[in-house]
Amino acid sequence: MLKRQQGKKNYYMRAFFLGLGLSALVFLPFMAIDGGRFLFYGDFNVQQVPFYRLAHDAIRNGQLGWSQHTDLGANFIGSYSFYLLGSPFFWLTLPFPSEWMQFLMGPLYILKFACASLTGYIYLHRYTKTPDTALIGSVLYAFSGFSIYNIFFNHFHEAIVFFPLLLASLDEYMATRRRGLFGLAVAACCLVNYYFFVGQVTFTLIYFFLRMLWGDWRLSFKDFLFLALEAVLGVGISCGLLLPSILAVVQNSRTTNVINGWNAVLYNKNQRYLHILECFFFPPDLPARPNFTPDSESRWASLGAWLPLFSMAGVIGWLQLRRRHWLKKLLWVLFVMALVPGLNSAFQMMNSAYYARWFYMLTLMMALATVMALEEDRVDWKRSITWTLSITLAITAVVGFTPVSETVDGEKSVSFGLMQYPTRFWSYAAVSLLSLGALIYLFLFRRESRKAFQKGTMWALSAVAVLYSVFFIALGKTQSDYTWDHLIPYSLNGGASIDLPDLQECRSDFYESLDNAGMFWQVPTIQAFHSIVPGSVMEFYDSIGVQRDVASRPEVSHYGLRGLTSVHWLFDDDHDGDFFAGEDSADPAMPGWAYYGNANGFDIWENLYYIPMGFSYDYYITRSEYDKLTKGSESNAGDRELLMLRAVVLEDADAEKYGGLLNHLPQEDRTCNEEFYFRDCENRAASACQSFTYTNTGFSATLDTETEEMVFFSVPYEKGWSATVNGEPTDIVRVNVGFMAVVVPLGEQVQIEFTYRTPGLIPGVIIGAASLGLLIAYVVLLRRLPKKEAPRGPRLMRCAPFSEYTKRRKVSFLRPGAMVLSPTRRAALPPEEPAPPEPPIEEAAQAPAPVEYAESVELEGDEEETQNQEEPKL
């Protein structure tokens, strides 16, 4: 028994190190190619890599409140809790120097895959007869199509790692009533990523109530209340990070796009149905390059659910099995939810945007069905593999050979295939078919013993997982042709050779450059590819006609925006041949700019009409008047942003209160053009602060004033701000559609100090600490309460008559591994062995723990079918 227990512990280590070894084989070659770094393409390169370094440096520097390096400024905790602040993998990087961050991305990914393999095993091994089968399932889960697809999104893997622990802790509670684990699992899942936690709550509710309704679980009302209490306390523990995140996210306009109408019933793109179907039978497409269904509008939707080697064979075999089981019902429920838009959106709070970012939960259930099918002798693998192969070939034939007729310049031509990239398509098809071929080989030639089959399956599964992962990453890296030309030498070096005096006090502009180029250098900039920024930023951009959804990328037509936001320098890397001022540098794309020099691979341009941060006005207009002005567009600037350089925009309610400080701008003085732009910039610069500095808690400035003035700062307004002037608290005025200003008195060297405190942080920490204390008290108290002696149940039988089974319809009266037989078969068996006598109390205290058995299997069928079964071997 001791050896058996030790063997189980060894399998936990095996699961971890198996995932570690396989993921090392995947990532180490690419790290070697990129000089020790792991770089991919798209969002991974321009978001995950700079985000990690920015957050790492901010925490080490104690700058936990406001991040001036994120867009025009952002709540640090609210903006980065979605990406990394709740991740234990990120916190492992803090002891390392900042320069090491680019070299830690690969090792962290290897560790994440290893942890996913471990947690997958922790959940799956409860349902398998042998740990080797659970080990197969852990690799299926850790290297599923969803996991490999979302290498593109580094922060998705935290959810993949922690979700199995949520289900495992719930299973443990239902099986043993062990207290506290479920509450801790809820807290962990909520902390690592609140967005994925919403989907996990939806899934767990379905999982729980389906098993309850199916009769697989039973729970008293008291234990249900205890379970609910643990869930509430788990959420409470996470409030230190959750509450500030909620207060930040609710400002985002994307959260209000609720699915409704026909969009909740049918997908508006018919190709999406095929995309959902094929993701179960083929390796995943590149996130930004959907190949099977180019017009499905499913880019970045995380549509990947392929299980390496097995594909859908195990799942189909399990679903075809004539057996009543909760997992069959759950899989059908999940498949239906994937095909109905409204049900799919339930995993993301009914948002209208299409994402399948809950499929990691589905792949865990598919992996469970596959490994249970491997241990169920009644599964018809020949039939299930035939179905899987037929569907795979059918999709291949439809997408690969459908004729397409086109007429160009009056000439008609016919081509074959609906895919966008034929070479990639046939590669995907080859991987799928070769995997099924390997599976067929295993069942035909390695089935002589369970041990040989499991060993062969693990080798084949490992080979397929590694090879298709390497192929996917290599394919993605072909989309990133700027890695060695630009990213490594000029971005990851942090702008080392840029020597400009005020880069940290002003803002910079990066012309047609790499997304988040300024974030790599950690300098304030007006460009940002970041989904979570203050709502005031989105409101401002919308008011001047600049789209702001997941990124801020104002076109050069909005030159007035540069003056308003204190942009001093522009960097042009011209890596795509698009020059800011043409190839001869004679005609800048914006007025008032002059060439300064070249450094770090960039041409540097200076704004000759730069306005330092913090300046005052002589005039004002009301918000109602502002809304009547011409609104710009992506390619054309309107009057609004230009007029904000002449007059501050006061909210209607503030106009009466602060209008006495300023003159109301006459109607005839509202003409806007380049000439007035230059004049207004000079006037604002003359009234600007003499000094401006960002601090760990906000920013400070000093200026000389001749009269009482309203000083404007192009820093986004948020409720966490407070301000003092010469040490005295003062009110912050919301001006210019989302920015801040304060009234300062007459004087020399007037000191202005803005301090930011993250909204919800202190209450969240208090709630979290109180919830953790209550959870500990709850566990300790229930352990100390005297336990009631469980009622003695009926003697478990080795076999039972079929009539008894049909009457009870459950196997709780059977011994583990027992069977249900017809009266004829049961009469042929030897008599029942007498039940062993109860041991004395003294001996019972020293008795070893009972041997764990695999879960009993319910049998289904009528008595006639049972009588026709082969004589069982005893």
Side-chain angles (χ1 to χ4, degrees):
M1 223 176 303
L2 290 174
K3 287 183 178 180
R4 182 170 180 174
Q5 294 297 328
Q6 186 64 35
K8 286 187 175 182
K9 294 179 181 179
N10 289 341
Y11 269 92
Y12 291 116
M13 299 300 293
R14 286 189 194 183
F16 177 82
F17 283 107
L18 180 60
L20 191 74
L22 294 179
S23 56
L25 291 176
V26 172
F27 289 99
L28 286 179
F30 297 104
M31 293 170 60
I33 292 172
D34 288 335
R37 311 167 186 86
F38 175 71
L39 299 171
F40 194 33
Y41 86 107
D43 291 17
F44 180 85
N45 288 353
V46 301
Q47 282 195 316
Q48 313 303 327
V49 176
F51 287 2
Y52 258 68
R53 180 164 181 173
L54 186 149
H56 169 274
D57 292 352
I59 292 174
R60 285 173 60 115
N61 295 332
Q63 196 170 1
L64 302 179
W66 188 255
S67 173
Q68 70 270 21
H69 300 129
T70 304
D71 210 289
L72 299 177
N75 172 350
F76 175 73
I77 293 178
S79 294
Y80 288 94
S81 58
F82 169 67
Y83 291 101
L84 47 79
L85 286 184
S87 168
F89 303 98
F90 163 74
W91 289 91
L92 291 176
T93 68
L94 289 186
F96 297 94
S98 179
E99 295 75 15
W100 287 31
M101 292 304 300
Q102 56 186 299
F103 301 103
L104 292 176
M105 302 303 291
L108 287 179
Y109 247 138
I110 294 173
L111 181 60
K112 287 182 183 182
F113 273 86
C115 291
S117 179
L118 171 61
T119 58
Y121 176 83
I122 290 173
Y123 172 73
L124 294 170
H125 87 285
R126 179 183 293 273
Y127 297 95
T128 59
K129 299 175 183 177
T130 65
D132 291 288
T133 311
L135 207 59
I136 293 172
S138 71
V139 176
L140 287 174
Y141 175 67
F143 292 87
S144 70
F146 186 89
S147 298
I148 301 304
Y149 179 108
N150 287 294
I151 290 174
F152 190 77
F153 298 112
N154 174 69
H155 55 294
F156 286 20
H157 284 259
E158 277 75 359
I160 297 173
V161 170
F162 282 90
F163 172 67
L165 298 180
L166 181 65
L167 294 189
S169 63
L170 179 59
D171 287 352
E172 181 70 14
Y173 182 91
M174 298 303 296
T176 67
R177 299 300 186 266
R178 181 175 295 181
R179 313 294 182 180
L181 287 182
F182 183 68
L184 292 176
V186 169
C189 289
C190 191
L191 278 170
V192 295
N193 195 296
Y194 58 85
Y195 169 82
F196 286 99
F197 180 68
V198 172
Q200 290 167 359
V201 170
T202 301
F203 183 95
T204 305
L205 290 175
I206 296 171
Y207 180 84
F208 175 80
F209 285 108
L210 186 144
R211 296 189 69 170
M212 290 289 293
L213 294 173
W214 193 246
D216 186 67
W217 280 345
R218 287 176 175 81
L219 192 66
S220 67
F221 183 68
K222 179 187 74 173
D223 285 330
F224 175 78
L225 291 180
F226 283 145
L227 183 65
L229 175 63
E230 288 194 29
V232 172
L233 292 178
V235 175
I237 292 171
S238 68
C239 277
L241 201 58
L242 179 64
L243 189 56
S245 302
I246 292 175
L247 295 177
V249 170
V250 293
Q251 304 176 42
N252 196 310
S253 59
R254 299 170 69 195
T255 60
T256 60
N257 298 329
V258 179
I259 194 168
N260 64 87
W262 275 104
N263 290 331
V265 180
L266 296 171
Y267 291 117
N268 55 4
K269 295 293 180 180
N270 53 12
Q271 290 186 22
R272 190 171 294 163
Y273 289 100
L274 180 61
H275 197 169
I276 295 172
L277 177 64
E278 66 85 11
C279 82
F280 295 104
F281 293 89
F282 293 88
D285 278 331
L286 290 176
R289 305 286 189 273
N291 193 19
F292 287 76
T293 56
D295 298 322
S296 61
E297 293 188 3
S298 301
R299 295 195 299 171
W300 308 294
S302 298
L303 267 172
W306 186 66
L307 298 182
L309 183 65
F310 287 90
S311 184
M312 289 291 286
V315 177
I316 292 175
W318 183 255
L319 293 176
Q320 289 177 338
L321 186 66
R322 294 187 61 189
R323 178 184 178 187
R324 292 164 52 89
H325 198 278
W326 61 267
L327 182 57
K328 291 175 64 176
K329 302 298 180 185
L330 179 60
L331 284 171
W332 283 120
V333 168
L334 297 177
F335 289 142
V336 171
M337 295 185 76
L339 294 172
V340 179
L343 298 178
N344 181 80
S345 65
F347 292 97
Q348 51 182 4
M349 294 190 70
M350 307 308 292
N351 195 273
S352 61
Y354 176 69
Y355 293 115
R357 292 176 176 173
W358 59 276
F359 272 24
Y360 65 97
M361 300 181 269
L362 176 55
T363 57
L364 181 61
M365 296 299 103
M366 290 165 55
L368 175 60
T370 300
V371 296
M372 292 180 72
L374 285 173
E375 294 186 335
E376 176 55 67
D377 294 334
R378 292 178 297 157
V379 171
D380 188 345
W381 280 95
K382 179 180 178 181
R383 183 184 180 193
S384 64
I385 292 176
T386 301
W387 270 97
T388 304
L389 181 61
S390 300
I391 296 173
T392 303
L393 290 174
I395 296 175
T396 303
V398 169
V399 178
F401 297 106
T402 298
V404 179
S405 177
E406 293 181 333
T407 302
V408 180
D409 297 331
E411 294 186 7
K412 186 176 182 180
S413 61
V414 178
S415 61
F416 292 90
L418 304 175
M419 59 283 189
Q420 188 168 1
Y421 309 101
T423 303
R424 298 179 194 175
F425 167 77
W426 291 112
S427 299
Y428 297 147
V431 172
S432 298
L433 294 174
L434 289 174
S435 295
L436 290 176
L439 186 64
I440 293 171
Y441 170 82
L442 289 169
F443 275 97
L444 289 178
F445 301 104
R446 302 286 292 182
R447 200 63 168 160
E448 66 273 8
S449 70
R450 181 180 295 273
K451 187 175 182 180
F453 179 78
Q454 288 178 336
K455 184 177 180 180
T457 300
M458 181 57 74
W459 277 104
L461 173 60
S462 300
V464 172
V466 169
L467 292 176
Y468 104 91
S469 302
V470 169
F471 172 73
F472 178 87
I473 297 174
L475 200 59
K477 288 182 72 66
T478 63
Q479 311 301 308
S480 178
D481 57 356
Y482 54 83
T483 299
W484 280 96
D485 294 338
H486 185 81
L487 183 61
I488 293 176
Y490 303 131
S491 295
L492 291 178
N493 72 343
S497 59
I498 299 292
D499 185 18
L500 296 173
D502 59 346
L503 273 181
Q504 293 299 332
E505 288 75 38
C506 67
R507 289 196 178 97
S508 298
D509 190 357
F510 287 81
Y511 177 74
E512 299 292 335
S513 186
L514 189 71
D515 275 329
N516 289 330
M519 197 174 291
F520 280 101
W521 297 358
Q522 295 193 29
V523 298
T525 177
I526 60 172
Q527 281 91 5
F529 179 23
H530 197 297
S531 298
I532 304 169
V533 296
S536 53
V537 172
M538 295 189 167
E539 184 182 2
F540 166 72
Y541 275 123
D542 179 68
S543 74
I544 63 173
V546 174
Q547 181 181 356
R548 209 313 174 182
D549 42 20
V550 298
S552 299
R553 303 185 183 105
E555 298 289 339
V556 291
S557 59
H558 293 269
Y559 59 90
L561 170 66
R562 274 72 178 179
L564 184 70
T565 56
S566 300
V567 174
H568 192 186
W569 306 102
L570 182 144
F571 298 93
D572 179 15
D573 63 0
D574 60 61
H575 72 276
D576 57 357
D578 187 4
F579 294 88
F580 174 67
E583 293 191 27
D584 57 358
S585 298
D587 186 19
M590 291 189 293
W593 290 80
Y595 181 74
Y596 183 85
N598 183 283
N600 204 58
F602 287 82
D603 287 334
I604 304 174
W605 293 76
E606 183 180 9
N607 183 3
L608 301 179
Y609 294 89
Y610 160 64
I611 310 172
M613 288 285 286
F615 53 86
S616 60
Y617 289 90
D618 298 320
Y619 297 97
Y620 80 92
I621 61 172
T622 64
R623 179 65 182 271
S624 299
E625 294 173 315
Y626 172 84
D627 290 338
K628 295 176 183 179
L629 298 173
T630 304
K631 183 178 181 179
S633 63
E634 283 296 315
S635 57
N636 293 293
D639 292 340
R640 293 183 176 185
E641 63 197 82
L642 292 174
L643 202 62
M644 276 193 282
L645 290 168
R646 190 175 309 161
V648 65
V649 179
L650 297 177
E651 298 296 325
D652 291 354
D654 293 329
E656 293 184 6
K657 182 177 180 181
Y658 299 103
L661 291 174
L662 305 165
N663 299 315
H664 187 258
L665 184 66
Q667 190 69 37
E668 60 272 14
D669 290 339
R670 299 185 183 184
T671 303
C672 298
N673 53 40
E674 287 187 15
E675 180 182 351
F676 285 99
Y677 164 71
F678 296 146
R679 186 193 66 184
D680 292 335
C681 286
E682 290 172 343
N683 290 337
R684 300 288 77 74
S687 66
C689 294
Q690 282 79 42
S691 68
F692 176 88
T693 306
Y694 286 106
T695 65
N696 281 351
T697 57
F699 60 90
S700 63
T702 59
L703 78 162
D704 298 332
T705 60
E706 298 179 356
T707 60
E708 188 178 29
E709 297 177 350
M710 177 176 287
V711 181
F712 164 78
F713 296 92
S714 57
V715 177
Y717 176 89
E718 274 223 336
K719 292 183 178 180
W721 285 110
S722 61
T724 62
V725 175
N726 291 332
E728 297 294 328
T730 187
D731 293 334
I732 298 176
V733 189
R734 194 176 192 271
V735 299
N736 286 348
V737 196
F739 295 112
M740 298 187 295
V742 291
V743 176
V744 299
L746 166 68
E748 294 183 358
Q749 291 297 300
V750 175
Q751 184 70 36
I752 304 172
E753 187 80 26
F754 276 74
T755 303
Y756 186 77
R757 297 286 183 266
T758 305
L761 179 60
I762 299 302
V765 170
I766 294 173
I767 294 172
S771 298
L772 180 60
L774 289 174
L775 182 64
I776 294 173
Y778 153 80
V779 173
V780 172
L781 178 63
L782 289 184
R783 285 188 175 183
R784 291 187 175 182
L785 289 178
K787 295 183 179 179
K788 295 182 180 179
E789 184 179 353
R792 187 183 299 273
R795 184 170 65 88
L796 301 182
M797 295 182 285
R798 182 183 63 191
C799 60
F802 189 80
S803 58
E804 183 71 12
Y805 169 70
T806 55
K807 179 173 70 176
R808 303 195 191 187
R809 294 309 266 177
K810 58 186 179 181
V811 294
S812 59
F813 63 96
L814 297 177
R815 292 181 187 176
M819 62 188 73
V820 177
L821 300 178
S822 66
T824 304
R825 294 285 184 247
R826 186 168 183 270
L829 297 178
E832 290 281 340
E833 298 177 1
E838 294 288 338
I841 297 178
E842 295 80 2
E843 296 180 8
Q846 301 176 358
V851 178
E852 296 185 9
Y853 292 91
E855 184 184 52
S856 300
V857 178
E858 295 187 11
L859 303 179
E860 185 178 16
D862 53 29
E863 185 173 352
E864 181 179 354
E865 291 179 347
T866 308
Q867 291 177 349
N868 294 331
Q869 291 181 354
E870 183 179 350
E871 186 74 16
K873 297 179 181 180
L874 302 180

